[in-house]
Amino acid sequence: AGDVVMRTSGSVGLDQSLALVAEVPIQEAWVQDRRLLQSLGGTTIQVPIRGTLTRPQIDERALADLNRRLMEEAAGRVLEEQIDRGLNRLFGPRS
């Protein structure tokens, strides 16, 4: 898909039903200017796809889980940065 290498695995039934997982690697260039997402660079997102060949459907639950994970990681990084700033003010930079 464009410059994105996407890998799928799974099966297509004789009745054209799908049971696939699409794996999309997160390129560093996509997140380099987004501080909160930088740690995702180099990771791979797995998206389950069901339905049929004519009506493929992305698993909405998997997307919701991904969104939750991204928010938790971003919040964790912000909290960690704030704690480091506070400690640096109190004790100076850590080595």
Side-chain angles (χ1 to χ4, degrees):
D3 63 342
V4 178
V5 176
M6 188 181 316
R7 188 172 70 188
T8 58
S9 59
S11 62
V12 177
L14 292 174
D15 61 354
Q16 298 188 353
S17 61
L18 299 176
L20 302 174
V21 175
E23 295 180 346
V24 182
I26 304 299
Q27 298 179 14
E28 300 284 345
W30 296 352
V31 294
Q32 69 185 5
D33 296 333
R34 294 176 174 90
R35 183 177 58 90
L36 296 177
L37 299 177
Q38 286 176 349
S39 68
L40 295 176
T43 62
T44 299
I45 296 173
Q46 295 183 336
V47 181
I49 302 171
R50 305 282 185 247
T52 64
L53 283 174
T54 57
R55 293 188 52 130
Q57 297 175 351
I58 294 175
D59 186 338
E60 297 293 329
R61 186 180 37 177
L63 291 179
D65 288 345
L66 173 62
N67 189 40
R68 180 189 47 75
R69 190 181 95 212
L70 293 176
M71 296 302 283
E72 287 173 354
E73 288 178 14
R77 283 189 297 281
V78 169
L79 183 59
E80 184 177 316
E81 288 175 7
Q82 294 302 320
I83 290 171
D84 281 346
R85 276 193 198 128
L87 291 174
N88 285 339
R89 286 185 194 138
L90 288 172
F91 303 111
R94 294 186 283 170
S95 35

